[in-house]
Amino acid sequence: MSLVYENRIKGAGDMVSAFQGEKMFILFGDNAPDTLKDFCYTIDIKDTNKEISVGQILDIDGNKFEITAVGNVAEKNLTSLGHMTVVFDGSKEAALPGSIYVENADMPELKIGTTIKIEG
């Protein structure tokens, strides 16, 4: 498997736990809007090595989840803004254009230093 994307969480807003019940988290670069900043995990803005697609694997500190849907602006937002929402509900169609969806699973704990990779 080749590395599509890799990043590390470098900060967390005060309200990141607000979405845990909805089995989702939000990533954003340092430029997150004030209205979202408290709800986001902060990452550096980085390019992908190739296109993010269904069937690839999201790896969060060694916890692996199959990607089931990719929003039509998810990769563009990730590489230009560091912004992406990850939803753990197994959806086969992306309801939110800036989101990726992974298999229906419990969301792993995220903290400063957590490594996020996409492999495929």
Side-chain angles (χ1 to χ4, degrees), residues 28-39:
F28 226 115
D30 292 324
N31 57 347
D34 289 339
T35 54
L36 277 180
K37 200 172 283 192
D38 288 341
F39 299 96

Side-chain angles (χ1 to χ4, degrees), residues 19-93:
F19 292 117
Q20 284 180 338
E22 297 180 46
K23 296 171 61 169
M24 62 186 276
F25 65 85
I26 303 170
L27 301 174
F28 226 115
D30 292 324
N31 57 347
D34 289 339
T35 54
L36 277 180
K37 200 172 283 192
D38 288 341
F39 299 96
C40 298
Y41 291 95
T42 308
I43 59 172
D44 289 325
I45 297 172
K46 294 185 174 183
D47 284 333
T48 55
N49 295 323
K50 65 180 190 179
E51 185 177 345
I52 298 171
S53 59
V54 171
Q56 292 174 341
I57 301 297
L58 175 71
D59 180 325
I60 300 172
D61 279 346
N63 298 292
K64 297 182 185 291
F65 307 93
E66 184 177 351
I67 296 173
T68 58
V70 179
N72 64 346
V73 296
E75 184 173 339
K76 178 178 178 266
N77 286 354
L78 180 62
T79 59
S80 63
L81 302 169
H83 175 51
M84 183 170 66
T85 302
V86 178
V87 185
F88 291 78
D89 71 359
S91 291
K92 300 292 186 200
E93 290 188 27

